């Protein structure tokens, strides 16, 4: 008798795993190190940048959530794009998301090497990157629960660090001898709340959006979530509170503690908080946190890449080779191929140290915008399909269809403002080239299917 191949995912992610995966996806190097550049662009209004970007991302997450609860599958929005919009959008979104996370994992691996150099200056970066790659790949090969458990604890470290920073900061603000509201005066002094005007605010929003890349991972976990009807809505609804506390809350504290034009000049804004509190181990604590953040994002990248390849194989848009699962329900081949490709770029980083990291981040932001556009449009098509078939959904998005159009307009604005920032222009130029590559790939795929 022929042995049946295992092609069904196992539902091993519990509610606490999902909560932390959603949280972990929203807290990475973008917040820990990227905040200094956004503060320089917007001044104290940076808190508004995170709030505006966060609200739009929450609306997009609600659109994805409505589809994910209705149809919890691995591969998520690529599957929905194929089903409700068409073959090319599904092909484009799946491969674009995979490409995005390959870029992110390359950049995070590079970051791991940089952070390890803080403690071991003579250790070659490629060794740290390679050790991290092998360890996290091995962890993901075990089963989905191992991934969920590791992500739970790493996200917990990041959250504990941010909550501690906010509490320490508030302690400093309220014990500095100045009464309220003078103790918050840094927010409106030094050129006002909007020192660089609305233009500076708009430019900073384009940079801030990188911090939110990866938050849509919650939709990818739908195929392996226990009780998706209950856990996915809960995880998505809490996204807005996380954004308000972790991003906006952190920025309010930072902007109140120091004049915005001095934040991040000597060190990361977070290092300054620790130093001013008088903790000599400040830099070491922060380095441990950012290292954990980088490893956590890489862990999520390996997870989502393998699931996206599995989903694409299910619709025939990737080789059937990626459809086979291990006895524990893990897409081993997708994990190994994604890791292998990342390994090539660790080697590239070895030869081209310095510039690679920044370029990877910028291109990843453009790829994330493509993913969000696909979610908005696919959701419009999904609701039209539901209306035609008199079908009621369990977890409705907010103010459909107006929020879809508003989000699409906002995302077009993000690309426009990215084109105004010299460091980001290369990534914007890359965008049409990348879309053309995807179209040519799709044409090849169709030719082989016929």
């Amino acid at each position: 008798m022929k042995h049946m191949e295992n092609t069904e995912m196992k539902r091993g992610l519990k509610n606490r795993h999902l909560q932390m995966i959603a949280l972990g996806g929203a807290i990475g190097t973008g917040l820990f190190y990227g905040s200094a550049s956004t503060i320089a662009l917007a001044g104290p209004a940076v808190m508004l940048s995170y709030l505006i970007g966060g609200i739009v991302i929450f609306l997009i997450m609600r659109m994805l959530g409505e589809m994910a609860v209705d149809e919890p599958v691995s591969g998520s929005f690529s599957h929905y794009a194929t089903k409700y919009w068409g073959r090319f959008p599904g092909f484009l979104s799946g491969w674009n998301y995979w490409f995005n996370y390959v870029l992110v994992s390359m950049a995070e691996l590079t970051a791991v090497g940089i952070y390890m150099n803080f403690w071991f200056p003579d250790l070659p970066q490629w060794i740290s990157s390679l050790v991290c790659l092998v360890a996290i790949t091995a962890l993901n090969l075990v089963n989905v629960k191992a991934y969920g458990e590791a992500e739970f604890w790493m996200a917990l470290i990041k959250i504990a660090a941010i909550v501690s920073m906010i509490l320490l900061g508030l302690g400093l603000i309220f014990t500095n001898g100045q009464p309220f509201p003078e103790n918050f005066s840094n927010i409106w002094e030094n050129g006002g709340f909007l020192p660089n005007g609305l233009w500076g605010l708009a430019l900073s929003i384009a940079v801030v959006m990188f911090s939110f890349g990866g938050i849509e991972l919650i939709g990818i976990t739908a195929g392996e979530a226990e009780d998706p009807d209950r856990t996915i809505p809960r995880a998505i609804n809490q996204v807005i509170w996380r954004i308000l506390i972790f991003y906006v809350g952190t920025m309010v504290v930072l902007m109140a503690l120091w004049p915005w034009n001095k934040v991040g000049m000597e060190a990361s804004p977070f290092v300054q908080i620790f130093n001013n509190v008088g903790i000599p181990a400040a830099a070491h604590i922060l380095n441990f946190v950012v290292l954990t953040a980088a490893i956590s994002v890489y862990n999520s990248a390996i997870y989502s890449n393998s699931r996206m390849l599995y989903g694409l194989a299910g619709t025939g848009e990737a080789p059937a080779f990626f459809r086979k699962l291990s006895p524990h329900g893990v897409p081993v081949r997708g994990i190994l191929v994604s890791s292998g490709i990342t390994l090539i770029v660790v080697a590239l980083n070895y030869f081209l140290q310095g510039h690679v990291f920044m370029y990877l981040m910028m291109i990843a932001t453009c790829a994330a915008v493509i993913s969000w556009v696909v979610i908005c449009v696919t959701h419009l098509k999904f609701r039209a399909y539901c209306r035609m078939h008199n079908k009621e959904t369990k977890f409705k998005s907010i103010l459909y269809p107006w929020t879809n159009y508003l989000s699409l307009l906002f995302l077009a604005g993000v690309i426009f403002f990215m084109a105004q920032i010299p460091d980001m222009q290369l990534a914007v130029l890359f965008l049409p080239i990348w879309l053309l590559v995807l179209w040519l790939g799709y044409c090849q795929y169709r030719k082989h299917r016929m």
Side-chain angles (χ1 to χ4, degrees), residues 128-447:
S128 307
S129 302
L130 186 64
V131 169
C132 175
L133 182 142
V134 172
I136 297 297
T137 302
L139 179 81
N140 272 271
L141 290 173
V142 180
N143 59 28
V144 71
K145 206 167 178 183
Y147 157 74
E149 206 59 43
E151 196 49 40
F152 176 82
W153 292 106
M154 285 193 281
L156 204 59
I157 290 170
K158 292 191 280 190
I159 293 151
I162 289 185
V163 170
S164 304
M165 286 185 233
I166 291 173
L167 293 175
L168 283 172
L170 287 172
L172 273 176
I173 291 164
F174 287 106
T175 56
N176 67 2
Q178 287 184 304
F180 182 83
E182 278 74 41
N183 50 357
F184 282 90
S185 61
N186 279 324
I187 290 174
W188 53 84
E189 285 177 358
N190 310 300
F193 182 69
L194 270 168
N196 298 324
L198 289 172
W199 182 256
L201 176 70
L203 290 177
S204 72
I205 291 173
V207 182
V208 153
M209 293 317 286
F210 169 70
S211 300
F212 295 119
I215 209 165
E216 65 285 345
L217 182 64
I218 197 82
I220 305 275
T221 61
E224 291 164 283
E226 290 180 356
D227 190 11
D229 283 14
R230 190 176 59 85
T231 54
I232 294 171
R234 189 186 288 180
I236 287 174
N237 280 335
Q238 288 181 9
V239 163
I240 193 71
W241 301 113
R242 292 178 197 129
I243 288 163
L244 288 172
I245 295 165
F246 296 125
Y247 286 103
V248 183
T250 304
M251 289 305 142
V252 169
V253 169
L254 277 184
M255 294 297 93
L257 279 173
W258 292 281
W260 70 273
N261 46 5
K262 290 184 185 164
V263 168
M265 296 301 172
E266 311 86 52
S268 156
F270 297 96
V271 172
Q272 287 182 325
I273 284 192
F274 280 120
N275 281 338
N276 279 33
V277 174
I279 303 174
H284 293 281
I285 295 167
L286 182 81
N287 202 59
F288 174 71
V289 173
V290 290
L291 179 65
T292 306
I295 296 171
S296 156
V297 175
Y298 180 65
N299 188 30
S300 291
I302 287 289
Y303 170 83
S304 65
N305 272 342
S306 57
R307 270 58 181 183
M308 191 51 90
L309 285 176
Y310 170 83
L312 285 166
T315 54
E317 288 156 359
F321 169 83
F322 292 116
R323 191 74 184 160
K324 191 173 186 298
L325 300 174
S326 73
H328 294 293
V330 175
V332 170
R333 293 169 175 181
I335 290 171
L336 292 175
V337 168
S338 298
S339 273
I341 291 169
T342 312
L343 193 60
I344 295 164
V345 182
V346 170
L348 266 181
N349 264 307
Y350 172 71
F351 295 112
L352 305 167
Q353 275 190 52
H355 300 291
V356 180
F357 184 82
M358 199 56 211
Y359 290 141
L360 289 171
M361 290 292 96
M362 294 181 304
I363 296 168
T365 306
C366 284
V369 169
I370 294 174
S371 293
W372 297 328
V373 166
V374 169
I375 292 169
C376 292
V377 178
T378 302
H379 181 256
L380 284 168
K381 307 270 184 191
F382 165 77
R383 284 292 285 261
Y385 173 89
C386 290
R387 202 167 51 243
M388 206 160 70
H389 293 82
N390 293 320
K391 184 180 169 188
E392 279 296 315
T393 54
K394 301 171 208 166
F395 180 54
K396 291 200 178 333
S397 65
I398 298 165
L399 295 175
Y400 159 86
W402 303 110
T403 46
N404 297 64
Y405 299 129
L406 182 73
S407 301
L408 288 167
L409 192 65
F410 175 85
L411 293 171
V414 167
I415 296 296
F416 171 78
F417 286 110
M418 279 178 76
Q420 312 306 309
I421 301 170
D423 286 353
M424 290 191 151
Q425 285 162 355
L426 190 73
V428 177
L429 287 172
F430 172 80
L431 195 58
I433 299 165
W434 171 232
L435 290 171
L436 180 66
V437 167
L438 285 169
W439 170 251
L440 293 172
Y442 176 69
C443 291
Q444 281 297 108
Y445 152 73
R446 275 187 61 191
K447 208 155 72 178

